Amino acid sequence: MVKQTIQIFARVKPTVRKQQQGIYSIDEDEKLTPSLEIIVPHDLADGFVNNKRESYKFKFQRIFDQGANQETIFENIAKPVAESVLAGYNGTIFAYGQTGSGKTFTITGGAERYSDRGIIPRTLSYIFEQLQKDSSTIYTTRISYLEIYNECGYDLLDPRHEASSLEDLPKVTVFEDPDQNIHLKNLSLHQAATEEEALNLLFLGDTNRMIAETPMNQASTRSHCIFSIHLSSKEPGSATVRHAKLHLVDLAGSERVAKTGVGGQLLTEAKYINLSLHYLEQVIIALSEKHRSHIPYRNSMMTSVLRDSLGGNCMTTMIATLSLEKRNIDESISTCRFAQRVALIKNEAVLNEEIDPRLMIIRLQKEIQELKDELAIVTGEQRTEALTDAELLELEKLITSFLEDQDPESRLEVGTDMRKIHHCFHYLKKLLNDKKIHGKSTVSSEIKDQDCQEPLKEEEYKKLRDLLQQRDNEINILVNMLKKEKKKAQDALHSSGMDRSECGHSQSSPFHLGTEGLRTLPSSAPTQVQDVNTFGYRSSLLHRKTVMREEMSLGRQEAFEIFKRDHADSVTIEDNKQILKQRFSEAKALGESINETRSKIGRLKEEITQRHMQQVALGISENVAMPSMPDLLEEKLRSQLEEEKIRYKMMFTRLKALKVEIEHLQLLMDKAKVKLQKEFEAWWAEEATSLQVNSPAVNSLNHMKPFPQTPESQRERSQLLCNQSDVNARKILPSPCPIPHSREPSSTSASLEDSIPEKPASSIPLTGDSQTDSDILAFIKARQSILQKKR
């Protein structure tokens, strides 16, 4: 048993340049506990007499300033907890702080760079690395991902997330057994044999999380998430099994509604988040008091799930994330006070071991066999499971003699063997039943037999008749099906024959025409022949175009390319692509080098074996003993073999690391693509709305009387169009970027006339068809061209 208080750490988020930074200092004396001091100077607006506190000092196990990276956080906070989980103890790491203070970045990590991986992916990598090193123990790893949104639990790994709405998904409920152990219904456990499978489950869960934009954070998580790793270990031949679980908790950030000014759904989410954090604080306060008898774990779902982590069988660590900007000083001080209360809680972590039930059954069976052997030694008889034929025959003779004996005081002595006693009772019961059956009169039995046989015959006849009728019906159905199939085949052959006859008639008809028909032959006959020959190809092509139009029209595809080019994350995606290409090429080169080294090792082994065989053959042919001195050539080959093995091992380790990095980069790119697709859909809907609003003005310009085609009139017209759509053009572009100038200045008016849609926007139905997408794309291009020319 390990008794310790909850370990608390503090991490300061880097401040934004635009925001004013608060005053704080970090004291990291080696002899004393590190402390964080926050200074709040007096405001002159409060008056000269101001007794407010200016300095706040808090102690932590360690404080990480703004320059701390993710690797440092993992090595000092998460790695010791992961080691204790591998040893068989429960562990929990949770991040607490206001919204936008960096909790999700610390726990999960960023999605742009490989070095921004958070505690969860680094912990998974470390655990699977240690499992591969320890080959003497059998490990089983399972993953679960729970989301608590508006005080309701959902399984983030449920495959129905994408196809169903949140209200239709099954809710995770909490059950408590008589031993006060918590069980979660509708929460799935997925087994992960490798690091790749575990990271795929993490990526799936992060994709299904509830995220929204708030005034404090552009991508604020609106729910509490608990990523759990369940680890079971067992040594071969041992009767004990170790179970451990690691909870990695990303709490939603608290926020002051009066300060953020949110409303609607965001306000409802903020109320539930603040309420659950309030219940968490109540549990922390109750645990910190010594003589408190009741702990309100059942007030919220989060405190019920984290019951063992708070004052139970667990080694818990808390990370207080602080945003020490001047506007967030009050929330940061509140977070530090919460951490000081958490540090007062003591946990008692116990090694989770239990006896394997299968091995216990084997042990009990062995003990039963040993007791049987001891009993056989004491009685002098080797008992088996059943009585022998000789023993059964002897028992039947004893029973027969006992029944024939007229002495009322006679006894049946069979000994103390319960098997013989049970057999005697069964035999007596059998004799009694046989006597009752044979005691009945023969006449009555014959009458009953005759009466029973007639209804039996009628029932059998009825069953056979029904069965025959059923078989007839089945045969008729099969015959009708065969006739229909035969008719379909004949119709198909008839239609194909008609097509061939029409084709032959179209080819031979020009020879029966007159002179006038011969003159029109070169333009009409080849066309008819070509139409007949390409009918199948056109139908298949039309089907393909219809499918592509259902997925995404050409106009929307071109708009997506423009949006992707101008998107803010395009540089990051391209950088990740280049890094991924480099890693692929490096892995390919390493694979070729590994293959070469492997073949070289094989050749060296063959040379050493051949050298050894040559020496043995030479000694046998010349009758000379093997020399005691080592062969220099063989020693040289062995040294080369060892060098190649070391080189092979180094390259294989590097290739393994490259594989992990490539998989993570692919996950990042997939995540970026999903984000880009969602933002494009929102932007496309906004552009469609803007087209409906702004098209009447453009349509009025289109119906005006055309200007004379002179240079002066062209300039005036382009200037008028620029003034009309300049404001709206700025709203449409997601991120304006320089557009290359046209090579032909004389085509300005023509391009403008083509870019403006001819029909009113009010008559365009926003149904997602190709015509609407083309109109929207033309409208976007017109605005881009007008804005560029104005510049």
Side-chain angles (χ1 to χ4, degrees), residues 631-689:
D631 188 8
L632 297 178
L633 181 59
E634 186 176 351
E635 291 293 330
K636 184 178 179 181
L637 291 174
R638 290 188 181 277
S639 62
Q640 291 180 2
L641 181 62
E642 292 298 326
E643 292 176 359
E644 293 297 330
K645 284 183 178 180
I646 294 171
R647 184 185 171 200
Y648 176 80
K649 190 174 182 180
M650 292 173 61
M651 289 191 296
F652 186 77
T653 306
R654 173 58 182 160
L655 183 62
K656 196 174 180 182
L658 278 175
K659 181 186 175 184
V660 174
E661 187 172 354
I662 287 170
E663 290 170 354
H664 190 78
L665 285 171
Q666 288 176 343
L667 287 177
L668 293 181
M669 290 186 66
D670 292 341
K671 211 169 185 178
K673 287 179 182 178
V674 172
K675 178 183 176 184
L676 185 65
Q677 185 66 30
K678 289 182 179 179
E679 292 183 0
F680 170 72
E681 294 296 335
W683 177 73
W684 186 259
E686 183 181 353
E687 290 304 320
T689 308

Side-chain angles (χ1 to χ4, degrees), residues 46 62 65-66 68 100 124 174 187 228 260 294 302 305 315 368 382 410 430 454 523 567 616 645:
D46 296 336
R62 186 167 177 182
D65 208 349
Q66 301 180 16
L124 289 173
V174 181
L187 182 64
S228 302
T260 58
H294 173 67
M302 181 178 61
V305 174
M315 301 177 72
I368 290 171
Q382 186 68 33
S410 62
K430 182 181 178 182
E454 291 180 359
S523 60
H567 198 269
V616 172
K645 284 183 178 180

Side-chain angles (χ1 to χ4, degrees), residues 78-139:
K79 190 175 180 180
V81 179
E83 291 175 351
S84 64
V85 170
L86 290 171
Y89 296 93
N90 296 334
T92 300
I93 301 173
F94 70 97
Y96 180 90
Q98 73 170 113
T99 180
S101 59
K103 299 182 298 300
T104 304
F105 182 81
T106 302
I107 297 296
T108 307
E112 293 184 0
R113 294 181 297 177
Y114 182 75
S115 58
D116 289 343
R117 291 178 303 158
I119 288 178
I120 296 179
R122 292 179 185 271
T123 303
L124 289 173
S125 301
Y126 178 77
I127 287 176
F128 280 100
E129 182 182 354
Q130 296 301 317
L131 296 186
Q132 289 180 358
K133 289 181 180 179
D134 188 7
S135 59
S136 61
T137 308
I138 302 171
Y139 290 94

Side-chain angles (χ1 to χ4, degrees), residues 581-642:
K581 287 181 181 179
Q582 293 176 4
R583 296 296 181 269
F584 269 124
S585 59
E586 188 177 350
K588 185 177 180 182
L590 274 176
E592 293 175 356
S593 302
I594 287 173
N595 291 332
E596 292 177 1
T597 307
R598 187 184 299 165
S599 60
K600 194 171 181 180
I601 290 172
R603 289 197 302 269
L604 289 172
K605 287 182 178 179
E606 290 178 0
E607 290 179 4
I608 292 172
T609 305
Q610 290 177 1
R611 181 67 181 173
H612 191 68
M613 291 176 65
Q614 287 176 2
Q615 290 182 353
V616 172
L618 184 62
I620 293 173
S621 61
E622 297 181 359
N623 293 326
V624 181
M626 292 291 293
S628 59
M629 295 296 293
D631 188 8
L632 297 178
L633 181 59
E634 186 176 351
E635 291 293 330
K636 184 178 179 181
L637 291 174
R638 290 188 181 277
S639 62
Q640 291 180 2
L641 181 62
E642 292 298 326

